[in-house]
Amino acid sequence: MKRFLLAAAFFAVLVLLWEAAYRAKIWSPVLLPSPSQVVTYLEGAAADGTLARATVITMRRLLIGYFIGLVVGLPLGLLTARWKLFGDTIGTLALGLQTLPSVCWVPLALLWFGQTEAAMLFVVVMGTLWSVIIATETGVRNVPPIYRRAALTMGSKRLHMWFKVILPAALPFIVSGMKQGWAFAWRSLMAAEIFVTILTGFGLGQLLHYGRELSAMEQVIGIMIVIVVIGLLADKIFFSPIERFLHRRWGTSQA
Amino acid sequence: MLRAGRHHSSATEELQIIPPSKLSVEGVSKSFRSASGNVLALDRVSLKVAEGEFVCLVGTSGCGKTTLLNIIAGLEKADSGAVLADGKPVTGPGRERLVMFQEPALFPWLDVFGNVLFGLKLKPNLTNEDRREVAKYYLELVGLSRFEHANIHELSGGMKQRVSLARALAPNPRVLLMDEPFAALDALTREQLYGDIQEIWKARRKTIVFVTHNVREAACLGDRVLLFSPHPGRIQEEFTVNLPRPRDINSVDLAAHATQITKALKSAGKAEAIAPK
Ligand SMILES: Nc1ncnc2c1ncn2[C@@H]1O[C@H](COP(=O)(O)OP(=O)(O)OP(=O)(O)O)[C@@H](O)[C@H]1O
Ligand SMILES: [Mg+2]
């Protein structure tokens, strides 16, 4: 409770400083709107449904793309760890492509898929996939051989070995890879939405883009806040509990 | 029992004492290729272990004890020679012969109960209730019922070894292969475990091959103590320990045996690392 109050106080001070900067008219009000103007914009956008619609569209792209990235990436990661042939080919490819900022996929996606949902999905998948492959591969390679041997003596083989020993043993790596994949996917999707107008739906990135076109700073800042909040929520709701569980089980947490 | 295809066994049946195996290692050799050339880890090692016998292997570090245990377990293949369990050649790992490894091998992603249950889940013809009951029985046997839902990292070293023991015992193997299970523990905890392991061995009737550096420990636990000599690994000498059980590690008779074994080692000029503690 005390931690919560302190955090709340911190954000209150932040907003107050913002308000003070606005009142002091250091920057033109066109460039720096007041907190209340931003709130008014957000209220309006929430009331007429723009915000909800854009959020749903963005999240749908993100979740579907991310899911595809996971479903394809996990098995590929296992294969690259298991067979040299896959390691030399897909493993190397993943290592190379992971260093490519995923925004770089946007022009290619546009040429291949045009201004469609498929282009958006493609960018998200590319953001997720390589991190997941690499994390899974690293995780599997780092499983201490003693776990396999112990399981072997108890009669574990093939699929049982993969699902009950190797995957769980690699879980800490896999989860951190999933988290990184999520961050990359989220960033690349925002970049893509700002960069490209997709005729089939207006995402948060597009709202941001049009805020700039209309010089509506309160819209730009409002949407930025929404994007930050979504990122935070994903972390708090999805990744934090998993990580806390892993820390508790493995005893790796300091806090 | 008639030849009933899939016969369903209950927890009580699962907990029944099954006859231990007899082991026979026949001329097993094993060499490893390493950066510094070939290392002959085992050179034509032969030994026999009777049903229900407790045999200790003593030897300096690097003389091939773990290698031999791995070969008996079926985790590694011998270059030549064979291991027979009840007359049948060992071709791979199997739950008839379970291992307590030298390194920590408990699964950190499972809690204590999950670890003990792991091998049981791989045994067919048991219901889940049976498995839970059996796992509870062994946790009780090693005195850790209270910790069934603890995470592995929350246990002390001695408790971890107890869980390893329970996990190895739970699938009711005929042979237990123990590789320096108590090396990392303090003397008091070890003494307690010597008592426990003797009691469990008596209660569950297992053939046990137990590897150690500690001569006194070997004399305390073994019916027989085999001395290994290094480079290449061979069985150098064999001692029979005819003391009544349960044995106390601090008893005078036992000390006499230990001294005798140590002396044998020293006279062979290979006692570097084997001085009793
Ligand atoms: N996988 C391996 N690759 C190469 N050399 C090995 C391997 N395993 C064991 N050796 C070598 O074989 C010899 C015997 O090793 P082993 O682990 O069986 O010894 P040990 O008697 O168990 O020693 P300790 O008491 O220290 O555990 C050593 O010289 C070791 O270097
Ligand atoms: Mg060893």
Side-chain angles (χ1 to χ4, degrees):
Chain A
M1 198 58 205
K2 195 168 157 214
R3 273 174 60 201
F4 176 78
L5 287 179
L6 279 175
F10 169 76
F11 287 107
V13 169
L14 220 54
V15 173
L16 282 179
L17 282 177
W18 175 7
E19 180 72 34
Y22 171 74
R23 297 248 169 112
K25 303 224 184 311
I26 304 172
W27 295 281
S28 133
V30 181
L31 294 183
L32 185 73
S34 73
S36 62
Q37 283 170 326
V38 171
V39 170
T40 312
Y41 163 73
L42 285 176
E43 272 171 2
D48 69 13
T50 330
L51 199 56
R53 242 174 293 137
T55 307
V56 166
I57 285 168
T58 296
M59 289 315 280
R60 200 180 54 214
R61 288 169 181 162
L62 185 66
L63 288 177
I64 295 177
Y66 184 63
F67 183 74
I68 297 174
L70 282 188
V71 167
V72 177
L74 267 171
L76 280 182
L78 293 181
L79 288 176
T80 50
R82 175 69 180 74
W83 279 292
K84 270 213 176 60
L85 176 68
F86 284 91
D88 293 342
T89 53
I90 295 176
T92 314
L93 186 72
L95 209 58
L97 292 183
Q98 196 216 14
T99 61
L100 186 70
S102 32
V103 197
C104 302
W105 289 103
V106 176
L108 188 116
L110 281 179
L111 287 176
W112 277 6
F113 300 102
Q115 284 162 294
T116 60
E117 287 300 306
M120 294 287 111
L121 281 183
F122 179 76
V123 171
V124 175
V125 171
M126 289 300 117
T128 313
L129 187 63
W130 313 113
S131 303
V132 172
I133 292 181
I134 287 169
T136 309
E137 184 194 358
T138 318
V140 169
R141 282 193 199 281
N142 278 289
V143 174
I146 189 77
Y147 295 150
R148 269 201 64 204
R149 294 156 73 83
L152 268 176
T153 59
M154 288 187 274
S156 172
K157 291 196 198 70
R158 289 182 285 270
L159 276 188
H160 185 274
M161 180 71 81
W162 279 102
F163 283 102
K164 299 289 178 165
V165 181
I166 293 174
L167 272 181
L171 207 56
F173 280 93
I174 294 177
V175 168
S176 72
M178 283 169 62
K179 203 173 157 181
Q180 194 187 42
W182 173 264
F184 285 177
W186 183 225
R187 286 179 176 99
S188 53
L189 177 61
M190 281 305 110
E193 284 190 350
I194 290 170
F195 195 47
V196 190
T197 311
I198 297 299
L199 307 170
T200 45
F202 251 50
L204 287 170
Q206 277 118 7
L207 281 186
L208 196 62
H209 176 71
Y210 284 102
R212 187 191 71 92
E213 297 264 286
L214 303 169
S215 292
M217 256 335 254
E218 70 277 4
Q219 177 170 346
V220 170
I221 292 179
I223 297 297
M224 281 170 69
I225 291 173
V226 171
I227 291 171
V228 167
V229 167
I230 290 176
L232 265 180
L233 283 180
D235 207 80
K236 293 273 179 230
I237 293 173
F238 186 62
F239 289 108
S240 290
I242 300 180
E243 284 179 320
R244 242 177 291 133
F245 167 78
L246 290 180
H247 285 318
R248 230 180 16 227
R249 258 294 147 80
W250 262 257
T252 43
S253 164
Q254 282 87 36
Chain B
M1 189 72 38
L2 290 172
R3 272 192 285 125
R6 275 178 73 87
H7 137 83
H8 170 85
S9 63
S10 69
T12 12
E13 232 169 286
E14 179 59 27
L15 284 170
Q16 267 173 5
I17 291 161
I18 52 165
S21 289
K22 104 185 143 196
L23 287 175
S24 154
V25 176
E26 295 176 352
V28 162
S29 297
K30 174 86 186 173
S31 60
F32 289 105
R33 215 181 282 274
S34 69
S36 51
N38 267 15
V39 182
L40 188 55
L42 296 173
D43 182 25
R44 284 159 290 157
V45 171
S46 295
L47 63 99
K48 284 200 186 316
V49 186
E51 293 94 337
E53 196 183 13
F54 201 135
V55 168
C56 291
L57 299 180
V58 187
T60 43
S61 190
C63 67
K65 306 178 299 290
T66 299
T67 307
L68 179 62
L69 229 52
N70 282 335
I71 291 173
I72 298 177
L75 286 168
E76 258 166 62
K77 278 204 166 53
D79 297 339
S80 62
V83 176
L84 306 180
D86 291 322
K88 284 191 276 300
V90 168
T91 53
R95 59 173 151 262
E96 302 286 278
R97 284 159 283 110
L98 287 187
V99 188
M100 247 181 102
F101 293 92
Q102 189 169 4
E103 314 136 70
L106 291 172
F107 300 145
W109 58 94
L110 298 173
D111 62 6
V112 167
F113 198 69
N115 268 280
V116 178
L117 213 53
F118 188 91
L120 288 166
K121 284 197 175 154
L122 283 155
K123 277 193 113 173
N125 303 335
L126 281 172
T127 65
N128 278 331
E129 284 98 274
D130 293 341
R131 294 191 174 107
R132 306 183 70 81
E133 203 175 307
V134 172
K136 286 207 158 92
Y137 168 85
Y138 284 102
L139 275 176
E140 175 104 52
L141 195 67
V142 298
L144 285 180
S145 299
R146 271 194 329 110
F147 294 90
E148 69 179 41
H149 294 301
N151 295 317
I152 298 305
H153 71 91
E154 295 163 343
L155 304 176
S156 72
M159 288 155 84
K160 279 184 196 147
Q161 292 307 71
R162 283 166 199 268
V163 178
S164 300
L165 183 59
R167 182 173 78 170
L169 286 168
N172 212 5
R174 292 168 196 272
V175 178
L176 205 54
L177 305 168
M178 305 173 78
D179 197 354
E180 300 184 35
F182 308 142
L185 304 179
D186 67 277
L188 270 175
T189 313
R190 249 187 286 159
E191 277 181 35
Q192 208 178 344
L193 285 164
Y194 296 149
D196 294 349
I197 190 86
Q198 292 187 71
E199 222 167 89
I200 288 168
W201 175 63
K202 202 174 128 208
R204 304 295 318 167
R205 299 307 309 161
K206 304 285 174 205
T207 302
I208 297 185
V209 181
F210 187 104
V211 167
T212 172
H213 281 133
N214 187 326
V215 172
R216 201 182 258 262
E217 179 173 292
C220 175
L221 296 174
D223 294 324
R224 264 189 309 148
V225 178
L226 306 182
L227 291 190
F228 249 73
S229 66
H231 312 300
R234 283 200 183 113
I235 292 174
Q236 181 191 320
E237 211 169 335
E238 179 179 325
F239 297 85
T240 308
V241 186
N242 272 323
L243 292 175
R245 291 180 189 267
R247 297 172 187 162
D248 176 4
I249 186 98
N250 295 313
S251 85
V252 182
D253 292 343
L254 201 146
H257 272 87
T259 315
Q260 188 201 346
I261 299 171
T262 312
K263 223 178 254 165
L265 275 167
K266 280 195 174 142
S267 69
K270 285 184 176 129
E272 311 110 84
I274 327 179
K277 292 201 181 125

